[in-house]
Amino acid sequence: MELGLNGKVAVITGGSEGIGNGIAQRLCEEGAKAAICGRRETVLADAAEEIRAQTGGEVLAIPADVTKPETLENFIGQTVTHFGKIDILINNAGRSAGGDFEAVSDEAWYDDLDLKLMGAVRCARLVIPHMKNNGGGRIINITHPGGKQPSAGSCPTSVSRAAGIALTKALSKELLPHKILVNTVCLTSIKSAQGERAWKASGSLGTLEEYWEARGAEHPLGRLGEPSEVGNLVAFLVSDCASFITGTAINIDGGLSAVV
């Protein structure tokens, strides 16, 4: 299937590891050019080099923190200067943060909303004018099925993700006249950088692959999802093949969630 992404410019936040890295790699495989950001300069540079080596794609790596507006302005500014345009925005930066509601402090609430909701707001605000100039674009917000069906002990993450889903629908309506399509991918049970850090912190004597296998054995499909599988879905949604899809929230969780 020809996705029509050759020459498109994609901005991916949290693109240095895990899911964001998998998305960037998949888009480059389809001929897109990628601008990735992350907070750790060395990790980011290594990721960009790996994507270039594996795909032959053009990758711009600029350190940025979505909670710090000045670094985002620099990231987007350098991307436009380098590539001349932006066609695609993937709001991927985030982390899981949940606990007993009464134990979650105001600071933890503010930090989570700042990272997940306001990070996406800031990026969209910077990128949308460039998409309007192009005559259209695609925005994908990475969220979680818990934003549709929160579980006990899921605050503040589930609330932040619910806000991200609502932001997706609101922007999809507002940006329709400008041919900017906005969707959200609600993911869970995917191998991620955060999961890898959890494995390291656990002090497990097994390998990382054994850790993934143990977690996957508890899943309905008997395995965890790969970042590349998220990349496949995102590549479709930002392509010409999905030109009549906007304002949707699509689960990629191997059927784990009880919500559609």
Side-chain angles (χ1 to χ4, degrees), residues 37-124:
C37 76
R39 291 176 296 180
R40 293 170 295 166
E41 187 170 358
T42 300
V43 174
L44 187 67
D46 290 345
E49 187 56 42
E50 182 180 0
I51 295 169
R52 295 186 195 106
Q54 293 185 358
T55 69
E58 189 173 353
V59 184
L60 179 68
I62 304 293
D65 183 336
V66 300
T67 67
K68 297 178 179 178
E70 65 279 6
T71 68
L72 279 183
E73 291 169 7
N74 177 65
F75 172 48
I76 298 304
Q78 288 202 46
T79 298
V80 174
T81 298
H82 185 82
F83 290 119
K85 62 174 183 173
I86 296 174
D87 303 291
I88 298 162
L89 169 63
I90 312 297
N91 281 315
N92 170 70
R95 63 173 180 265
S96 180
D100 181 75
F101 174 78
E102 292 178 89
V104 179
S105 67
D106 282 6
E107 182 180 5
W109 275 101
Y110 291 137
D111 286 349
D112 204 64
L113 287 163
D114 194 27
L115 173 64
K116 295 171 188 167
L117 174 61
M118 292 308 301
V121 168
R122 293 181 187 108
C123 290

Side-chain angles (χ1 to χ4, degrees), residues 35-215:
I36 62 174
C37 76
R39 291 176 296 180
R40 293 170 295 166
E41 187 170 358
T42 300
V43 174
L44 187 67
D46 290 345
E49 187 56 42
E50 182 180 0
I51 295 169
R52 295 186 195 106
Q54 293 185 358
T55 69
E58 189 173 353
V59 184
L60 179 68
I62 304 293
D65 183 336
V66 300
T67 67
K68 297 178 179 178
E70 65 279 6
T71 68
L72 279 183
E73 291 169 7
N74 177 65
F75 172 48
I76 298 304
Q78 288 202 46
T79 298
V80 174
T81 298
H82 185 82
F83 290 119
K85 62 174 183 173
I86 296 174
D87 303 291
I88 298 162
L89 169 63
I90 312 297
N91 281 315
N92 170 70
R95 63 173 180 265
S96 180
D100 181 75
F101 174 78
E102 292 178 89
V104 179
S105 67
D106 282 6
E107 182 180 5
W109 275 101
Y110 291 137
D111 286 349
D112 204 64
L113 287 163
D114 194 27
L115 173 64
K116 295 171 188 167
L117 174 61
M118 292 308 301
V121 168
R122 293 181 187 108
C123 290
R125 187 188 293 132
L126 289 168
V127 165
I128 286 169
H130 299 288
M131 292 183 174
K132 287 181 177 180
N133 288 338
N134 296 342
R138 303 285 193 274
I139 298 174
I140 304 294
N141 296 318
I142 302 300
T143 59
H144 191 283
K148 303 177 183 180
Q149 186 190 44
S151 60
S154 67
C155 290
T157 282
S158 59
V159 176
S160 298
R161 293 313 194 187
I165 294 170
L167 175 68
T168 298
K169 179 60 83 173
L171 283 181
S172 74
K173 299 290 188 181
E174 186 166 336
L175 298 176
L176 272 174
H178 305 285
K179 296 183 173 58
I180 300 172
L181 309 185
V182 189
N183 293 290
T184 178
V185 170
C186 308
L187 61 82
T188 189
S189 303
I190 307 294
K191 295 177 183 177
S192 66
Q194 184 168 313
E196 184 172 350
R197 285 190 284 272
W199 164 70
K200 290 178 180 178
S202 71
S204 171
L205 296 177
T207 65
L208 176 60
E209 195 54 42
E210 289 170 338
Y211 174 77
W212 293 139
E213 289 178 3
R215 286 190 55 195

